[in-house]
Amino acid sequence: MTSSAKRQPTWLGKTLAGAILGLALSFIFVAFFAWYGPGGIDARDKVQFNMWMITPVWLTIFSFSYLFNSAKQAWLVLGGLTVLLYGVFFMLRNAL
C-alpha cells in the first residue's frame, strides 16, 4: 500500500463526523421509514418504533465512520450524503 492509501489515525475528526453527521443521517433514515414505510406516518405504534430505531442506526453509522481513510473523507462523504438525503426528503414532502 502506498502512504496515501493508508488509513490515517485522525480519531477526533472521525469521531466528530460519526457523532454529528451520523446522528443527522440516522434521523433522515428513520424519517424516510416513518413517512414512506408501511402505513405511512399515521400507522399505529410507529412513533415508538421510530424513536427506538434512531440509536441503533446512529451507532452503526458512528462505528463505520472509523473505516474512512481520513477525517476529511469522513466529513465529505457523510456530509454529502446527509445533504443529499435531506434534499430528497424535503423535495418529496413538498411534491406529495
Side-chain angles (χ1 to χ4, degrees), residues 42-47:
D42 295 324
R44 185 170 182 250
D45 297 328
K46 196 170 186 182
V47 173

Side-chain angles (χ1 to χ4, degrees), residues 7-38:
R7 285 194 182 91
Q8 298 174 1
T10 51
W11 294 96
L12 181 61
K14 291 177 184 180
T15 301
L16 290 174
I20 296 167
L21 296 175
L23 182 60
L25 276 173
S26 68
F27 285 154
I28 198 63
F29 285 142
V30 172
F32 270 110
F33 175 75
W35 284 93
Y36 304 116

